[in-house]
Amino acid sequence: HPEVRHALMYRAFDAYLGGPARDWSADMHAMYQASIDSAKAKEKARLAKRVLGTSPTLPLERYVGTYADTLRGSATVRLENGRLVVAPSGFLTADLEHWNYDTFRAHYRNWWLGTSMVTFRIGPDGTVGAVDLGDGAVLSRVNETKRASSDH
């Protein structure tokens, strides 16, 4: 595991500072095992809440567009080979797999980022108004017509 470097670093600090010997490797292992166990429990809870047999409210092409927030920047949603792809930044591209209703599981192309849930918010007029990228990151849909006219 890449965090073995921290165990070695802390052990070197202990030796340099004359502190008591501590098994940092065991401590780090316990910490990361707790993190893994927590992630597994969250995944199990997520699976239990999943409603099977649903489909997106709209045809996939209606989710395509640019979404933005003044604090978090923007994300684009596009279609690739009949599937939605979200790109919140240059290197955070994720393939979206339908989960249930208007929620998709994002499989990041940078594998170490894992997966997350992306939920599209449908407005009362039946259009996609925003996308929730998880962890409170809600980006509003950019009106492409208004944006194009303001660029001139």
Side-chain angles (χ1 to χ4, degrees):
H1 191 279
E3 296 308 321
V4 74
R5 66 181 177 233
H6 288 124
L8 293 171
M9 177 181 68
Y10 294 145
R11 178 63 190 111
F13 288 158
D14 288 346
Y16 180 75
L17 297 172
R22 181 173 172 182
D23 189 350
W24 286 103
S25 180
D27 290 350
M28 293 286 181
H29 177 71
M31 181 180 73
Y32 281 99
Q33 189 60 51
S35 177
I36 290 167
D37 293 344
S38 174
K40 285 180 180 178
K42 286 178 185 176
E43 179 64 15
K44 187 175 180 180
R46 184 183 299 162
L47 282 169
K49 292 178 184 177
R50 184 178 186 184
V51 180
L52 299 174
T54 66
S55 58
T57 303
L58 304 168
L60 294 182
E61 55 272 358
R62 302 259 312 268
Y63 297 87
V64 171
T66 302
Y67 300 82
D69 174 274
T70 54
L71 294 176
R72 293 180 177 87
S74 66
T76 58
V77 175
R78 63 184 185 271
L79 271 175
E80 279 185 15
N81 302 319
R83 297 185 70 167
L84 290 176
V85 173
V86 64
S89 71
F91 80 101
L92 290 178
T93 302
D95 299 296
L96 300 182
E97 167 195 10
H98 182 254
W99 183 255
N100 66 298
Y101 302 113
D102 293 308
T103 299
F104 295 77
R105 177 179 264 181
H107 296 273
Y108 289 93
R109 292 180 181 175
N110 296 54
W111 62 268
W112 62 88
L113 296 173
T115 63
S116 66
M117 302 308 276
V118 171
T119 302
F120 291 92
R121 296 184 178 180
I122 310 299
D125 63 352
T127 63
V128 181
V131 63
D132 183 341
L133 298 175
D135 296 330
V138 178
L139 307 179
S140 298
R141 185 156 199 167
V142 174
N143 182 332
E144 298 296 327
T145 308
K146 183 186 266 186
R147 192 174 84 172
S149 66
S150 69
D151 289 344
H152 292 103

